[in-house]
Amino acid sequence: MTLLQVRNLTKNYDGIGILNGVNFSLHEGEIKVVMGPSGCGKTTLLRCLNRLVEPSSGEIIFDDKDITAADVDIRQVRQRIGFVFQNFALYRHLSALENVKLGLRKLRGLSDAEATQRAIYELSHVEMQDHQDKYPAHLSGGQQQRVAIARALAMDPAVLFFDEPTSALDPLMAREIANLLNRLHAEKVTILCVTHDVTLAKNLPGDVLFLNHGHVEAEAPISELMQNHASENVRAFFEEKAPNA
Amino acid sequence: MSESFAFLSDMVDYGPQILNGLINTLLLAGTISVTGLFAGILIFRLTLSENRFIRKSTASYISFFIGTPLIVLLFLMYYGLPQWGIKLSPFAIAAIGFTLNIAAYNSRYLSAAYNGIDQQQLMAASAQGFSSRQIFSLIILPQTLRRAIPGLTNQVALNIKDSSIAFLIQYVDFFAQMQEQASLNFQYLKVYAVTGAIYLLLVSLVIFGSKRLETRYAIPH
């Protein structure tokens, strides 16, 4: 079943087109990777999809409803879309446990005991239960990323968005995050992941949406894109990113 | 020796009035510190408004009150308002005048602290579905308040010292009582030295408390 469908999505800044008619769909339980050269609009696309950035035109059908419509309560929509940021974006004044609890308490309306129980469960899910009382500043990049994922998962999202999940991590931690994404995918979590990390993309099972100059230039498994793809831009990108592949 | 004894004897005799003045000083400083903090938070909140007019108006407010001597504002209210038939007590005038002034400074301390916050946290909160009001009360304010502790508590110390100008609008505070004492026994040097020492003691207590607060509420980094 299609969970997210994007139709002719555009975003202009001062007359300059960042997204120029993006079309794609994401099915329940699917994992899809968005790649493309720097400045191609990957992050803008992700932020348009939950209207952190307002699209200029186009439709975003989420759960059979166009969320670009004026009467949509976008806060309710956002509560169903987990978003994991490039630099983790944990609340610095709260411990790992409190980071996960905050949304459960203030958005879901859970009692403190219920929220604590659920937060501990989600932290265990990402193997962070032993660090629940630590503050973000006392966690490594990979650990912060896991807490950010637990925070997103705690809200029972219909889909998880990842914005460059490995760009701030060393290769070992990046591999751990790739394993975690695969585990989530195995649990039927729907994932849309923006990355420029070819190693990560190769370790994920879904199709790659190749974005260039604000539109989808190709959509296929990464193995196909890396093997003499018809588009010169696609070939050039992968030759530069993974010359020995 | 006898002169020192006479001075101490005068201080003891005048003790109840001095104590009363000290209480008035603490009452005024305490009041304006609390009201100035809340008003400062309000002004700071308005500086983050999405409405351009509100932001501009708030900026004008801050510039006006930081750029205008407080004594002018106090005299304006104390001598000017009665001409319009509005007569307020010296305490009320001092409390209002100081609050308006302190709010401008406190909002600046909070704004400076806000600028140090990683803005992606705010985007993350927005992405999670929090409203702008929730983002302010749950993410922005707890962090800015904690980051601004040095500035805000420094302002409390200033409030204690600056409250002494309220005697110019007939508010009988500690400084006013000590000045009265000096004019009675002509021991200006000793009276003002004691006055300074007591202000120093009060401010030292605030600085001590500030350090404790900073240690307790520091955001780990």
Side-chain angles (χ1 to χ4, degrees):
Chain A
M1 184 185 160
T2 303
L3 178 69
L4 179 71
Q5 190 159 26
V6 178
R7 296 177 188 153
N8 289 321
L9 191 72
T10 71
K11 177 63 189 174
N12 303 313
Y13 283 113
D14 299 327
I16 299 167
I18 307 299
L19 299 177
N20 301 306
V22 173
N23 293 283
F24 75 94
S25 57
L26 185 68
H27 303 287
E28 274 184 16
E30 186 183 5
I31 184 165
K32 190 160 275 181
V33 180
V34 181
M35 300 189 82
S38 296
C40 70
K42 300 188 292 289
T43 295
T44 303
L45 171 64
L46 210 57
R47 290 180 182 182
C48 279
L49 295 182
N50 69 351
R51 287 176 49 195
L52 279 179
V53 170
E54 284 295 337
S56 301
S57 67
E59 291 179 345
I60 301 166
I61 314 296
F62 177 67
D63 246 359
D64 298 324
K65 192 166 186 182
D66 183 5
I67 63 167
T68 61
D71 62 340
V72 165
D73 181 353
I74 194 62
R75 286 182 47 221
Q76 291 294 329
V77 174
R78 286 173 183 164
Q79 289 178 33
R80 302 200 55 232
I81 298 174
F83 204 121
V84 180
F85 285 80
Q86 186 173 0
N87 293 319
F88 329 122
L90 294 178
Y91 309 130
R92 312 297 291 181
H93 62 305
L94 300 178
S95 67
L97 181 69
E98 290 164 335
N99 260 277
V100 182
K101 274 174 66 178
L102 191 68
L104 295 169
R105 295 273 289 123
K106 304 296 180 183
L107 297 171
R108 288 280 185 266
L110 266 57
S111 69
D112 190 60
E114 289 169 331
T116 301
Q117 190 180 14
R118 178 63 195 267
I120 290 172
Y121 169 80
E122 292 301 347
L123 286 169
S124 305
H125 196 180
V126 295
E127 294 160 10
M128 282 298 294
Q129 68 276 20
D130 294 338
H131 304 281
Q132 64 180 43
D133 294 325
K134 289 184 182 170
Y135 284 83
H138 299 147
L139 297 171
S140 69
Q143 289 171 331
Q144 288 187 58
Q145 188 70 292
R146 285 168 182 272
V147 175
I149 293 168
R151 182 174 69 180
L153 285 172
M155 302 298 286
D156 277 328
V159 58
L160 269 184
F161 289 174
F162 286 86
D163 186 10
E164 303 280 9
T166 57
S167 69
L169 303 179
D170 64 42
L172 191 65
M173 287 181 180
R175 181 179 284 269
E176 284 180 15
I177 293 300
N179 292 340
L180 180 57
L181 290 183
N182 273 306
R183 190 148 59 84
L184 293 173
H185 175 59
E187 293 167 9
K188 305 291 181 199
V189 177
T190 311
I191 293 172
L192 185 65
C193 176
V194 161
T195 186
H196 68 275
D197 182 349
V198 175
T199 307
L200 173 66
K202 282 166 75 176
N203 282 314
L204 298 177
D207 280 357
V208 170
L209 200 72
F210 189 86
L211 214 61
N212 196 22
H213 297 302
H215 70 270
V216 179
E217 189 154 330
E219 185 175 354
I222 192 166
S223 54
E224 278 183 34
L225 296 181
M226 293 182 77
Q227 291 166 8
N228 295 321
H229 191 269
S231 162
E232 191 179 328
N233 292 323
V234 176
R235 286 201 309 273
F237 175 82
F238 284 107
E239 277 167 17
E240 186 193 331
K241 291 286 180 189
N244 301 321
Chain B
M1 187 70 183
S2 61
E3 198 175 290
S4 295
F5 181 77
F7 170 72
L8 285 173
S9 175
D10 284 349
M11 292 291 281
V12 170
D13 289 346
Y14 207 69
Q17 288 92 326
I18 292 172
L19 187 63
N20 194 43
L22 192 59
I23 290 169
N24 282 347
T25 287
L26 293 174
L27 180 67
L28 180 60
T31 302
I32 62 180
S33 294
V34 172
T35 54
L37 176 63
F38 283 106
I41 290 170
L42 176 66
I43 300 297
F44 165 60
R45 176 70 182 91
L46 295 176
T47 64
L48 303 178
S49 170
E50 289 174 11
N51 184 307
R52 192 164 172 266
F53 175 74
I54 292 176
R55 283 201 312 275
K56 290 276 182 193
S57 302
T58 310
S60 301
Y61 171 93
I62 293 169
S63 297
F64 177 80
F65 283 102
I66 286 180
T68 311
L70 178 58
I71 191 66
V72 173
L73 182 64
L74 296 180
F75 276 18
L76 189 77
M77 287 196 288
Y78 187 71
Y79 295 111
L81 288 182
Q83 293 183 344
W84 288 349
I86 303 168
K87 188 148 174 53
L88 300 171
S89 70
F91 176 80
I93 288 172
I96 294 168
F98 271 100
T99 298
L100 292 171
N101 182 269
I102 294 165
Y105 282 97
N106 280 346
S107 73
R108 292 299 293 268
Y109 299 136
L110 292 168
S111 292
Y114 171 77
N115 289 336
I117 294 178
D118 169 19
Q119 297 294 304
Q120 253 201 1
Q121 290 179 68
L122 312 185
M123 192 175 273
S126 197
Q128 225 181 328
F130 287 108
S131 66
S132 56
R133 184 176 292 184
Q134 287 175 314
I135 292 171
F136 181 77
S137 63
L138 299 171
I139 312 294
I140 295 175
L141 195 55
Q143 293 193 46
T144 48
L145 279 175
R146 289 160 75 164
R147 286 170 175 271
I149 286 172
L152 295 171
T153 49
N154 187 48
Q155 184 63 47
V156 173
L158 288 173
N159 297 345
I160 292 171
K161 293 189 293 177
D162 293 351
S163 65
S164 60
I165 66 166
F167 96 98
L168 293 171
I169 56 166
Q170 313 308 317
Y171 182 68
V172 187
D173 71 339
F174 174 64
F175 184 74
Q177 294 288 13
M178 292 303 273
Q179 196 188 38
E180 176 74 12
Q181 168 75 354
S183 67
L184 289 174
N185 64 12
F186 303 108
Q187 297 283 345
Y188 293 107
L189 186 66
K190 288 176 181 169
V191 168
Y192 288 128
V194 169
T195 306
I198 289 181
Y199 274 113
L200 182 62
L201 176 68
L202 293 174
V203 169
S204 299
L205 288 173
V206 171
I207 290 170
F208 175 75
S210 168
K211 297 283 181 203
R212 295 286 296 267
L213 282 175
E214 275 183 65
T215 307
R216 180 164 181 180
Y217 292 107
I219 296 171
H221 60 274

